Structures are given as structure tokens and as C-alpha cells.
Amino acid sequence: MPRSVDTAPVESSPRPEHVPRRTDRRAWVILVMIVVFMMISYADKAVLGLAAVPLMEELGIGKSTYGLISSSFYLLFSLSGLVVGFFSSRISSRALLLAMAALWAVAQLPVLLVAAVPSLIAGRVLLGMAEGPAASMSMHALYKWFPTGRRGLPSALQIGGAALGTAVSAPLLTWLIVDHGWRSAFVALMLVSVAWCLVWPFVGQDGPFGGEERKPSGGEGRPLRAAAPPLRALLTNGTVTGGILSAFGSHWALALSSAWLPVYLQTEMDMTATGASTVVSGVSVVSLVLLLSVPAYVDRLKRRGVSSRRADGIPQGTAVLVAGCALALLPFAGGAPVQLTLIAVAFGCHAVALPLHYVTTATVVPDGRRGAVFGVVAASGTLPGLFVP
């Protein structure tokens, strides 16, 4: 990775052994809420793909129009992630996450009131705007509770909430769609978002590791804000650039699977809606297993003294490369078993890069700049969602 202004890892947070027991317990409660937050977020992404076939039939729309509706989710997705990232140091993470989840519930209303292409697009644009900052800001909130050296597993569990959300929601939402109509799935997601919003104000707090670095001044002894590297220097750091590139590749696969995988399984592989949802859940389980194992292994490597460049960088680069190769081979594969194996690899392996690019970015970014840099990383890395579907 190229050198920048300061290539030394940031060690602004207290060491893990200095974390009070009460703070540690609260950190895990926050982690559970954020995992549920991510589960809802990815269920919201998946619902359109799961409902695509009956929705297209009822509204009489073709695949190109459906692709436009799916892409509209990402119209403001990257921009909102960028904007919110820059304001994250001025607004508490507690308030940001609550506002996002509330908008998720509101975004389900247009399609429930008027089932038509314009209302579908309006709902997906609003949902995308509210979900654009979700992954980066919930990770930022999580890092306020876990200091440097303890972030690998929490990061994996946060992203694991995405895989778990798809794995759990796919069969449940498919059951609702098949037995109660596709609108019922949108109603269910609206109610779940409202329930999360009711619990979060009583549980959510900002943690002790989110403040900007400070050092004592002379004379009066008042703390002064330490000089942070310019934002341009941080964004051109090789570690941050590498994280953006791995996120870009991962979100390419994620956008493709969310929009088209259920449709492909039903229309090209002649699966039923239930069979397709089972495959989607299976792919999510593969992602979840990798998310729970690889980052934990990465943490062990770093405790043994392995550099972050090798421990974090190689696994995420390899994951994106393997997923891309599997996706490239899929059109030439013969037989359902081979195709399903390639689908599992293509849409499962890429998930490893999703937590690790945040972990690596955080090692070279001060706490006070983290929200803004995470916003830029998220905005750049999620751009494939705008044009891939």
C-alpha cells in the first residue's frame, strides 16, 4: 500500500484491558441492537427481489422497468452516505440510527397506498436515501464501544446481521408473499422498523471511544484538540483506497444478488418461489459462516503480531477475487449443482470484505475523522448499486 502523510496505525482508544466491565456489557447490548438494525436493513433490500415475479405480473411491467425500479434504490444511496458521514461528528450516533430506522418505516407506505411504478420508485428512492449511511454509521457507532484491537469480531457480527437478515427474512417474506400477497411483506417490514425505533431510545447510547483525540496544553492545562491529518491525506492513503476498491467489488455482487438472483433462479433455473428463497438463504448462511470465522481468525493473527496489511488486506482482496471469478464462470457452467456452487461462492465469499474494509480503514484514521471517512468509503464503495441492476 502506498505511504501517505502518516502510515502509523491510530491508537487513540484505550487498551482493551482498561475497558470497565459495565461498559463492556453495555457494548454487547449495543452490538445486538445494531445487528438487528442491519438485519432489517438487508431485509428491506431483499424484499423487492423476492416479490419481483408476482409484482411484475400484477403491475404488467417488464424486466427493464423492474431493473429501473431496483436501481432507483441507489439513486441517493451513495450521496446520503457521504453527506451523513460528514455530519456524523456533530450529531450523536444514537439520533442518526433512530432517524434512519424511522424513515425505513415511512418508505414502505407509498407502495402500500398506491401500487404503481411511480410509487414503487418513490418508496425505493426514500428507502435508499435512509439506508445509504446505515452500514457506515452503525459501524461508526459500534466503534465507539469497542477500542482498537477488539473490532474484528464486532465488525463481523455487524455485517453478519446483513447475511442473517437475508437468511431469516427470505423464507419468512416468501411465505407472506405466497400466502398473503406481496404487499404483506412490505407491511411486515414497516412494523419491524417501528418496533426497533420504540426500543432503541431506551437502549442506545454513544460509547466512550468516539471522541476526537486530545492532548493536554501547556500553562492552563486545558485539553486541546490534537491536530488531525487533512481529510485529503486520509482519503489518498493506500489502506483507505484499497478498502474502497474491495467495497466496490463486494457491493457489485451484493447489488446483483439483491435485484436479480431470486428472479434468475425462478425464470432461468425453473425454481419455485420457495426453492429460490431457500437458495438465497443458503447463500446468506455461507456468507454468515465466513463472516464469523475469517475476521475472528484475522484478530488472532494480529494478536500474534502479524501486520494489518497481511492480516486484513490479503483476506479481503482474496475474497473479492474469488467471488469475481465464480461470477465470471457462471454463464458457462452446465448443470444445476455446478451453477448453485458457483452462485454460493460468487454471492457468499464477497461478504468477507465488507467488515474488513472498515477495520483496515479505522487503523489509519483518527476517531474524530472516522465518521467522515467512513461516509466517503461507503459512498464510493456502494456506487455499483446505482447501475448494476
Side-chain angles (χ1 to χ4, degrees):
M1 300 177 195
R3 290 185 176 272
S4 65
V5 174
D6 182 8
T7 57
V10 175
E11 296 289 349
S12 58
S13 302
R15 289 183 177 274
E17 58 265 25
H18 293 165
V19 179
R21 187 182 300 272
R22 184 176 179 182
T23 299
D24 196 50
R25 286 198 299 266
R26 170 66 72 170
W28 289 98
V29 172
I30 296 295
L31 174 60
V32 170
M33 288 298 294
I34 286 178
V35 168
V36 175
F37 178 84
M38 292 300 294
M39 290 177 66
I40 299 170
S41 172
Y42 274 74
D44 284 339
K45 287 184 178 73
V47 67
L48 186 67
L50 295 170
V53 173
L55 184 150
M56 291 165 68
E57 291 176 353
E58 180 178 325
L59 300 184
I61 61 177
K63 290 182 179 179
S64 60
T65 303
Y66 167 74
L68 175 64
I69 295 169
S70 184
S71 288
S72 67
F73 175 86
Y74 291 95
L75 184 62
L76 299 177
F77 188 92
S78 298
L79 180 61
S80 65
L82 181 64
V83 172
V84 172
F86 278 104
F87 284 97
S88 62
S89 61
R90 303 179 185 179
I91 306 173
S92 73
S93 298
R94 180 174 183 259
L96 281 176
L97 299 191
L98 179 62
M100 279 185 265
L103 285 174
W104 298 352
V106 173
Q108 309 298 348
L109 290 176
V111 70
L112 299 177
L113 298 175
V114 181
V117 171
S119 60
L120 275 168
I121 292 176
R124 298 306 284 183
V125 169
L126 177 60
L127 185 64
M129 182 189 72
E131 290 201 358
S136 57
M137 290 302 101
S138 60
M139 192 73 82
H140 178 49
L142 194 61
Y143 283 8
K144 293 180 180 182
W145 287 97
F146 292 91
T148 303
R150 293 186 61 207
R151 290 171 174 169
L153 181 58
S155 299
L157 291 172
Q158 186 259 17
I159 297 296
L164 187 61
T166 305
V168 172
S169 68
L172 291 177
L173 293 176
T174 300
W175 168 71
L176 287 171
I177 291 166
V178 172
D179 288 6
H180 302 283
W182 60 268
R183 291 173 182 79
S184 63
F186 290 83
V187 172
L189 290 175
M190 180 182 67
L191 295 177
V192 171
S193 296
V194 170
W196 191 91
C197 289
L198 293 176
V199 176
W200 179 247
F202 299 99
V203 175
Q205 294 180 18
D206 282 6
F209 305 113
E212 295 188 300
E213 298 177 273
R214 296 176 182 271
K215 61 182 179 182
S217 67
E220 301 177 6
R222 289 177 297 182
L224 293 176
R225 184 173 298 174
L231 189 60
R232 177 184 294 181
L234 292 173
L235 295 177
T236 54
N237 181 285
T239 300
V240 177
T241 303
I244 290 173
L245 291 175
S246 70
F248 192 93
S250 297
H251 280 280
W252 186 297
L254 183 62
L256 190 61
S257 63
S258 296
W260 286 111
L261 183 56
V263 180
Y264 177 82
L265 293 170
Q266 292 179 65
T267 60
E268 301 299 323
M269 297 188 68
D270 297 323
M271 289 187 176
T272 63
T274 303
S277 72
T278 300
V279 173
V280 171
S281 294
V283 171
S284 299
V285 169
V286 172
S287 297
L288 187 60
V289 170
L290 291 172
L291 284 167
L292 295 180
S293 56
V294 175
Y297 177 67
V298 165
D299 274 352
R300 287 199 298 273
L301 289 178
K302 287 192 283 190
R303 286 196 294 269
R304 294 174 187 169
V306 178
S307 68
S308 179
R309 181 193 300 263
R310 290 178 57 195
D312 294 329
I314 292 176
Q316 63 180 297
T318 302
V320 175
L321 179 62
V322 170
C325 290
L327 195 58
L329 291 172
L330 182 59
F332 307 101
V338 176
Q339 289 178 312
L340 292 176
T341 300
L342 290 173
I343 285 172
V345 173
F347 298 120
C349 286
H350 74 89
V352 171
L354 294 175
L356 291 183
H357 81 269
Y358 284 116
V359 174
T360 52
T361 298
T363 62
V364 295
V365 175
D367 287 350
R369 295 283 197 186
R370 190 176 58 220
V373 174
F374 275 12
V376 174
V377 171
S380 306
T382 56
L383 282 175
L386 185 62
F387 56 83
V388 166

